[in-house]
Amino acid sequence: YDLFAAVDHVGSSPSVGHYTASCRRADGWWRFDDSRTEFLGGSGDEATAHRVLGEDNYMLLFQRRDAPPEIEMVREQSHKQPEHWPHVLSDGCTEWSFVDRSQSQSQRS
């Protein structure tokens, strides 16, 4: 996963205060604050990372590296098409996990 945006909040509670967003674009990171924009620096620059990540971060948004590049390639997930859910159990499985149990058990033997 790669960070592509951060939502910041300054205020006493989530319903009181001010929100801004920092977003990664092709030319680097930008902060959006109402009608103002500010270039924060290039991607991969440590100084830029310090301007994007901080104590005011309210939400960090990540994108999977192997995500389909075209929106048409993303399969719609709905209750009518559970086969498109990434967490659906395979045939014969009784529990769900990211861990490949067959591989981890063979490594312990």
Side-chain angles (χ1 to χ4, degrees), residues 21-36:
S22 298
C23 303
R24 190 184 73 225
R25 299 172 51 102
D27 59 346
W29 283 89
W30 288 82
R31 176 162 293 130
F32 299 92
D33 184 351
D34 293 335
S35 63
R36 295 183 308 268

Side-chain angles (χ1 to χ4, degrees), residues 23-97:
C23 303
R24 190 184 73 225
R25 299 172 51 102
D27 59 346
W29 283 89
W30 288 82
R31 176 162 293 130
F32 299 92
D33 184 351
D34 293 335
S35 63
R36 295 183 308 268
T37 60
E38 174 189 5
F39 182 67
L40 299 176
S43 296
D45 179 39
E46 190 173 330
T48 302
H50 288 293
R51 288 190 283 276
V52 172
L53 299 173
E55 63 183 31
D56 291 335
N57 291 146
Y58 180 74
M59 183 183 337
L60 301 176
L61 297 130
F62 294 87
Q63 180 178 21
R64 200 172 80 188
R65 286 185 180 157
D66 63 347
E70 302 296 328
I71 192 68
E72 294 81 21
M73 297 174 67
V74 178
R75 297 182 298 178
E76 181 179 352
Q77 297 176 16
S78 74
H79 69 283
K80 294 178 182 177
Q81 296 175 308
E83 66 276 8
H84 293 175
W85 296 358
H87 57 276
V88 169
L89 299 175
S90 302
D91 291 337
C93 289
T94 57
E95 68 179 76
W96 177 84
S97 174

Side-chain angles (χ1 to χ4, degrees), residues 8-25:
D8 294 335
H9 175 263
V10 177
S12 58
S13 75
S15 58
V16 176
H18 184 68
Y19 288 89
T20 63
S22 298
C23 303
R24 190 184 73 225
R25 299 172 51 102

